C-alpha cells in the first residue's frame, strides 16, 4: 500500500556508521515489511480513533538529522532543578556526548545502543527482535526498522542507585525531521533506580520524535520514574513506554504530558510476577490547539498483583485530550487489586476530553474499581477564594493547579516538585483565555 | 455604612428575600436571628456576591457605592467579609499560600504595599494566638480534614488576618464547644472599633452573651419582621418564633 507519509518516514536516513549484524537486518526488514504491508492505521482502528494520522499525513518528513551530533542547541534546555549534573542527552535522536556526563554509581552501566547492538545475545537484541503484531503499533515497528541510537542501561542485581539518572530527549530545529530513539533499561533483582525521563525541545521544534523505551524490572526491583514531557507546542512526539515487572517488583510512575502539538503516549505495563505493583500518577494539560492522547494498558498476569492509577486531565482553548485507561486481569491472576481514577477539567467550550476506562476481568477474587469524570471547576470553591480577595483568574488558576497536582504532590525532590508546579501553572489559562 | 433597601432576591426561580431592608452603621454589631430557611444565608451570599442569586428589586449601598455592581473580590478588597456557614474544603490548595495570596491581592487592589513572607508570617502568628489554632492547620489544604469547629475558627482567623470593615458571620457559633465559642467571641471583640461593623447570624442567644449586639433583628420569610435591642434575643430564646409567624401574617394582611 503506497502511502506518501510512510514512504517519507521509511526513506533511508544518514548512513549508519557500522554494518549491522545479520539478526538486526532481519528484524528491521521484518518490521519494515509489516509496515509496508499494513500501512498507517486509519480512523477505524480503535487505538487511533481519537488521534487521526491524517493531520500528519499532510506532511513529509526528512529521515534523521545529519547535523544532530553537532547542532548548536539553545542553552538550558536540558536543565532541571533538583538534579545533579549527570545526564544523558539526545538531540534529534542522536546521543550528545558533549552535553552529557555519564552518571557514576556502583552497579550502573550505560552502553550506547550501537555498541549494545553488536552484542549477539544482549538486551538490545531482545528488544529489537520483539515483534509488534498489532498494526496499531505502527510507530513501534517504525522504531524497530530505523532506530540506531539510544542506550541500554543496566542496574546490577542488588545495586541501589541513589542519584537520579536524568535522561533528556530534545528536539531542535524548525525543519520537519523524523527521528527514532530506543531506550532499554534493565533493573536486576532487588535493585533500585530513580530515573527522570525528560522530553523537551527548542521553541520552534517541528520534529516528529518517535521514542520507544523499554523497562524490565527483575524480582523485587524498584523503579521510580518521572516522565516529564514538555516538548514545544509545534512538536510531534510519539512514545511507547513498556514495562515488565517480575515478582515483587515495584514501579512508581509519574507522567506529565504537557507539551507537543501532537503527543501520543502508549504506556504498557505487564505485571508478570506475583505481587508486582504499579502506582501511576499522571496528568495531561493541553491548551490552544494541542492534542494529547495517552493510552494506559495494564495487564495483570500473576497473582496478587496491584495497580493504582490516578490521572488528571485539563484542556482549554481548542485543545483535545484523550485518556484511554485499560486494565486487563488475565485468567489465573487471582487476588488482583486494580483501580483507575481519572478526573478531567474542561476549561473552555471548544476544548474536548475523551476518557475511556476499560476493565476486563478474567480471574477470581479481584478487587477492581474505576471512576472517570469530566467536569468544570467547583463553583463553591471558586466563590470561596474570591470572597477572600483573589481575582477570578487567579482563583481559577489556583484551583486548576490544585486539581492536577495529584500527579506530583508526592514527589520527594522539593526543587523538582516546585519546578513541575511552575510548569503546570505556566500552562493554565490564567490570563484572559475565555472560560 | 451598609444600607439594604427593599431587597428582593430569587434563587433557582424561587423568591427567597422578599423586601428586606436593613441599615448598619460603622461601629455597630447587628445580630440576625430567624427560623431555618428564612433567607439568612441567602442574605450573606448576596452581600458577598455569589453567582446565581438574582436581585429582582431593591438596592444595597456600602459606603455610598452600589455593592451589587462589584465582583466578589472587589467587595473583599473594599472590606466586606463573609464567614461561611459551611466553609468549603479545597484539596490541593495550601492554606498559608492561599491566605497570603488573598491578603496581597486585596492590598494590591487597594494600592497598598504587598507583604513579604516574613511580614506575613508575623501577622499570622499574632492572629493565630488569639484563636488558639494549631500551626499545623496552616500547612494543610484549605479546610481539608478540619473538624467542624476548626473550620469555624479558621473563618474567624481569616477575618482577623484580612481585617475587613464589614464582617458577616453566618452561624459561626454552630457546632462550637463553649471554649471555642469564647475564642471566636474574643476574636470578634478584639476587632470591634468605631470604623468596623459586624452582622452576626445566629440561632443562639448564648453567642450574644459574648458578642453583645447593638441591635437584634428577626428575619422570617425573606424580610426583617422585628428589630430591637439585645433583649429581643432573650425573648426569642424563651418564646421561639411562633409569635413571629403571627406577626408575619399580620404584616402580610
Ligand atoms: N441554590 C438554591 N436552590 C434552591 N433553593 C435554595 C438555594 N439556596 C437557598 N435556597 C432556599 O432558600 C431558602 C433560604 O435558604 P437560606 O440558606 O438562606 O436559609 P437560612 O435562613 O440561612 O437557614 P438556616 O438557618 O437553616 O441556615 C431555603 O428554603 C433554601 O432551600
Ligand atoms: Mg443559613
Amino acid at each position: 500500500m503506497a502511502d506518501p507519509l510512510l514512504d517519507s518516514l521509511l526513506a533511508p536516513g544518514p548512513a549508519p556508521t557500522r554494518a549491522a549484524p545479520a539478526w538486526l537486518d532481519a528484524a528491521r526488514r521484518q518490521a519494515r515489511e509489516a509496515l509496508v504491508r499494513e500501512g498507517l492505521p486509519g480512523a477505524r482502528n480503535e487505538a487511533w480513533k481519537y488521534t487521526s494520522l491524517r493531520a500528519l499525513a499532510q506532511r513529509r518528513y526528512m529521515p534523521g538529522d545529519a547535523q544532530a551530533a553537532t547542532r548548536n542547541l539553545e542553552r538550558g534546555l536540558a536543565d532541571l532543578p533538583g538534579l545533579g549534573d549527570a545526564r544523558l542527552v539526545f538531540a534529534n535522536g542522536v546521543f550528545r556526548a558533549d552535553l552529557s556526563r555519564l552518571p557514576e554509581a556502583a552497579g550502573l552501566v550505560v552502553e550506547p545502543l550501537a555498541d549494545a547492538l553488536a552484542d549477539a545475545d544482549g538486551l538490545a537484541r531482545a528488544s529489537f527482535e520483539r515483534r509488534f503484531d498489532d498494526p496499531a503499533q505502527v510507530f513501534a515497528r517504525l522504531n524497530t526498522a530505523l532506530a540506531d541510537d539510544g542506550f541500554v542501561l543496566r542496574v546490577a542485581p542488588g545495586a541501589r542507585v541513589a542519584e537520579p539518572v536524568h535522561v533528556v530527549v530534545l528536539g531542535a530545529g524548525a525543519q520537519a525531521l523524523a527521528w527514532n530513539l530506543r531506550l532499554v533499561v534493565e533493573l536486576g533483582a532487588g535493585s533500585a533506580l530513580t530515573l527522570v525521563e525528560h522530553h523537551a525541545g527548542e521553541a520552534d521544534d517541528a520534529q516528529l520524535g518517535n521514542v520507544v523505551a523499554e523497562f524490565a524490572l527483575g524480582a523485587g526491583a524498584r523503579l521510580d520514574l518521572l516522565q516529564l514531557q514538555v516538548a514545544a507546542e509545534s512538536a510531534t512526539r510519539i512514545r511507547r513506554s513498556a514495562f515488565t515487572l517480575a515478582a515483587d517488583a515495584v514501579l512508581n510512575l509519574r507522567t506529565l504530558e504537557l507539551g507537543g502539538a501532537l503527543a501520543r503516549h502508549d504506556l504498557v505495563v505487564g505485571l508478570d510476577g506475583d505481587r508486582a505493583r504499579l502506582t501511576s500518577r499522571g496528568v495531561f494539560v493541553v491548551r490552544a490547539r494541542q492534542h494529547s492522547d495517552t493510552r494506559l494498558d495494564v495487564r495483570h498476569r500473576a497473582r496478587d498483583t496491584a495497580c493504582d492509577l490516578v490521572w488528571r486531565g485539563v484542556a482549554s482553548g481548542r485543545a483535545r485530550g484523550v485518556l484511554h485507561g485499560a486494565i486487563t486481569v488475565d485468567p489465573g491472576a487471582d487476588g488482583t487489586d486494580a483501580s483507575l481514577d481519572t478526573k478531567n477539567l474542561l476549561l473552555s467550550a471548544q476544548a474536548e476530553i475523551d476518557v475511556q476506562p476499560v476493565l476486563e476481568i478474567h480471574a477470581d477474587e479481584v478487587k477492581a474499581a474505576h471512576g472517570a469524570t469530566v467536569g468544570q471547576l467547583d463553583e463553591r470553591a471558586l466563590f470561596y477564594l474570591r470572597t477572600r480577595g483573589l481575582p477570578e483568574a487567579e482563583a481559577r488558576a489556583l484551583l486548576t493547579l490544585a486539581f492536577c497536582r495529584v500527579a506530583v504532590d508526592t514527589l520527594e525532590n522539593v526543587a523538582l516538585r516546585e519546578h513541575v508546579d511552575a510548569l503546570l501553572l505556566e500552562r493554565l489559562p490564567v490570563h484572559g483565555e475565555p472560560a | 455604612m451598609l444600607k439594604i433597601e427593599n431587597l428582593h432576591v430569587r434563587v433557582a426561580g424561587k423568591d427567597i428575600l422578599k423586601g428586606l431592608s436593613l441599615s448598619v452603621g460603622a461601629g455597630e454589631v447587628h445580630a440576625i436571628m430567624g427560623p431555618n430557611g428564612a433567607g439568612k444565608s441567602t442574605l450573606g451570599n448576596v452581600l458577598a456576591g455569589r453567582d446565581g442569586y438574582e436581585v429582582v428589586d431593591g438596592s444595597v449601598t456600602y459606603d455610598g457605592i452600589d455593592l451589587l455592581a462589584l465582583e466578589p473580590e472587589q467587595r473583599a478588597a473594599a472590606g466586606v467579609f463573609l464567614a461561611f456557614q459551611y466553609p468549603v474544603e479545597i484539596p490541593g490548595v495550601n492554606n498559608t499560600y492561599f491566605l497570603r495570596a488573598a491578603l496581597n491581592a486585596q492590598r494590591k487592589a487597594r494600592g497598598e504595599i504587598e507583604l513579604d513572607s516574613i511580614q506575613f508570617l508575623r501577622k499570622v502568628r499574632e492572629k493565630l494566638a488569639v484563636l488558639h489554632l494549631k500551626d499545623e492547620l496552616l500547612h494543610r489544604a484549605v479546610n481539608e480534614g478540619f473538624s467542624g469547629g476548626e473550620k469555624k475558627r479558621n473563618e474567624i482567623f481569616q477575618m482577623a488576618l484580612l481585617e475587613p470593615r464589614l464582617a458577616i458571620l453566618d452561624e459561626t457559633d454552630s457546632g462550637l464547644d463553649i471554649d471555642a465559642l469564647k475564642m471566636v467571641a474574643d476574636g470578634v471583640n478584639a476587632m470591634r472599633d468605631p470604623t468596623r461593623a459586624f452582622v452576626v447570624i445566629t440561632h443562639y442567644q448564648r453567642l450574644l452573651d459574648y458578642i453583645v449586639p447593638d441591635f437584634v433583628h428577626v428575619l422570617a420569610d425573606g424580610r426583617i419582621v422585628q428589630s430591637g435591642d439585645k433583649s429581643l434575643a432573650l425573648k426569642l430564646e424563651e418564646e421561639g418564633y411562633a409569635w413571629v409567624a403571627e406577626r408575619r401574617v399580620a404584616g402580610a394582611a
Side-chain angles (χ1 to χ4, degrees), chain A residues 378-394 398-399 401-403 405 425, chain B residues 45 48-50 71-73 76 81-82 84 90-93 97-98 101-102 105-106 143 155 158:
Chain A
D378 177 0
E379 286 301 322
R380 285 165 53 249
L382 188 62
F383 177 59
Y384 188 84
L385 296 180
R386 293 178 73 192
T387 63
R388 298 316 186 231
L390 282 184
E392 182 178 357
E394 208 176 313
L398 195 57
L399 288 177
L401 176 63
F403 176 84
R405 220 181 226 147
L425 199 54
Chain B
N45 280 320
R50 184 160 182 174
E71 295 294 329
E73 56 269 32
F81 178 88
L82 171 66
F84 285 68
I90 313 183
V93 175
Y97 178 88
F98 153 59
Q106 287 199 19
N143 290 320
E155 294 291 287
Q158 291 181 8

Side-chain angles (χ1 to χ4, degrees), chain A residues 159 197 205 241 315 328-329 391 415-416 418 426:
Chain A
E197 191 189 318
D205 170 6
S241 305
T328 311
V329 183
L416 197 52
E418 285 174 355
E426 229 170 70

